[in-house]
Amino acid sequence: MDYLLTEKGKLDLEAILKGRSLYAFDFDGTLAKIVREHHAARLSRPIRFWLEKLATRAPTAIISGRSVEDLRSRVGTAVPHLIGNHGSEGPHTRQEDIQQVRETSSGWLELITGRLQDELIRSGVTVENKSYSLSFHYRTVEQRDEARALISRIIAELSPPPRIVLGKSVVNVMPPTASHKGTALLEYMRRLDCSTALYVGDDETDEDVFALRDHRILTVRVGKKKGSAARYFLKRQTEITEMLRLLVEVGDQSIHTWSGCHEHGATRPVPHPNE
């Protein structure tokens, strides 16, 4: 992995600006800081500013483990394309497929609430029902080893066996037939007629994109990690602001880059937001 904010990294960013590219981001830990309370995550003012500028100039998407409804409550109209539940929720999924995923998740939740709810309450683990997947959160739990052991025991009882993706103090379980972030990104590249893409994420759920190793996709991980398949990394989440600013300002110097992307994609100097 190479550091993105170097001359080499900036040249690769400039390269994808030369064609019609999709700019896609994870939410938690990428566009928004990781916070102790899951519901408190939000976009900072500078990131919202530059993200909105980018989204008026080029196809832009958020692909998150959160539900689309949850994302919309935090992003509003800043980004037009919202893909939830790790890639399995959005207009790109067939109705029959998403119904099967929903029914599987609903059956899991019924089992958990019917037989295991008391143990979860005692442990402090919370289960987030996202309709198309479930997430076990234990960020605020003191006895973390016991919490992880309980989650593992519960997951072992789920049928059909779920696809498990580990996050930061969260265990995500998805029906085996559900789409993932990698397949969702490729589908949106096709739907939006984008020949290249940038994808930025920060944890194991994003490795589904990084592991594609598709030369058309420039992959960036927030936080350097040994073994990650991402091409580049950022040192910290706050550097997202600098990356977004570069994309907008360099893009505005290449008028042809933005032509035809959006109705309101006029190119003009962009003022800096107040920090």
Side-chain angles (χ1 to χ4, degrees):
M1 298 175 74
D2 296 318
Y3 181 46
L4 181 68
L5 300 180
T6 61
E7 287 306 310
K8 179 178 181 294
K10 290 175 183 178
L11 285 174
D12 277 349
L13 284 177
E14 290 179 22
I16 68 168
L17 288 167
K18 294 178 181 178
R20 181 171 171 86
S21 298
L22 171 62
Y23 299 87
F25 306 86
D26 179 36
F27 186 79
D28 294 277
T30 302
L31 292 176
K33 291 182 179 179
I34 295 290
V35 292
R36 181 175 174 82
E37 298 293 341
H38 185 65
H39 64 271
R42 64 181 181 84
L43 296 177
S44 69
R45 184 179 177 184
I47 286 179
R48 179 179 289 275
F49 177 89
W50 291 113
L51 188 63
E52 287 179 339
K53 294 299 180 185
L54 178 63
T56 61
R57 290 158 166 76
T60 306
I62 296 176
I63 308 178
S64 170
R66 292 178 182 266
S67 68
V68 169
E69 181 180 4
D70 187 316
L71 285 174
R72 191 171 290 116
S73 71
R74 298 169 198 283
V75 178
T77 59
V79 176
H81 304 292
L82 302 178
I83 302 99
N85 280 280
H86 309 284
S88 66
E89 180 190 8
H92 63 292
T93 53
R94 296 191 309 167
Q95 186 58 41
E96 54 267 36
D97 293 339
I98 202 67
Q99 182 60 31
Q100 182 181 13
V101 169
R102 181 193 285 270
E103 289 174 358
T104 299
S105 295
S106 177
W108 290 344
L109 186 64
E110 184 177 351
L111 168 69
I112 292 167
T113 55
R115 292 173 45 194
L116 303 161
Q117 188 66 31
D118 289 344
E119 287 186 79
L120 286 166
I121 292 173
R122 287 195 298 271
S123 71
V125 174
T126 60
V127 181
E128 182 184 6
N129 174 21
K130 295 185 287 190
S131 297
Y132 308 100
S133 67
L134 303 177
S135 293
F136 296 85
H137 296 277
Y138 61 95
R139 182 173 299 278
T140 61
V141 174
E142 292 184 4
Q143 304 298 325
R144 297 169 71 85
D145 289 342
E146 287 83 349
R148 284 189 286 261
L150 174 60
I151 294 169
S152 296
R153 180 159 56 83
I154 291 172
I155 291 174
E157 295 190 34
L158 300 181
S159 180
R163 180 170 176 264
I164 303 168
V165 180
L166 303 179
K168 295 181 173 69
S169 299
V170 60
V171 179
N172 306 288
V173 293
M174 290 159 280
T177 58
S179 299
H180 58 65
K181 289 184 176 184
T183 55
L185 180 68
L186 292 173
E187 175 60 18
Y188 265 80
M189 288 176 67
R190 185 192 68 80
R191 290 167 65 93
L192 298 174
D193 192 28
C194 294
S195 58
T196 53
L198 167 73
Y199 183 80
V200 189
D202 74 301
D203 66 15
E204 293 304 314
T205 66
D206 302 300
E207 291 294 332
D208 284 328
V209 179
F210 303 155
L212 293 173
R213 297 189 182 276
D214 189 321
H215 71 277
R216 300 173 302 159
I217 304 170
L218 182 64
T219 53
V220 181
R221 191 182 195 281
V222 179
K224 186 176 183 180
K225 183 180 179 182
K226 185 177 181 180
S228 174
R231 196 182 314 175
Y232 284 100
F233 73 93
L234 291 171
K235 295 176 182 178
R236 57 190 67 88
Q237 187 271 337
T238 52
E239 289 182 331
I240 290 290
T241 305
E242 174 68 7
M243 186 199 68
L244 289 170
R245 182 185 67 79
L246 283 170
L247 288 171
V248 172
E249 292 185 345
V250 174
D252 276 355
Q253 294 168 15
S254 304
I255 294 176
H256 68 280
T257 297
W258 309 108
S259 61
C261 288
H262 283 276
E263 183 177 329
H264 304 294
T267 58
R268 58 186 183 276
V270 180
H272 285 255
N274 294 325
E275 298 293 331

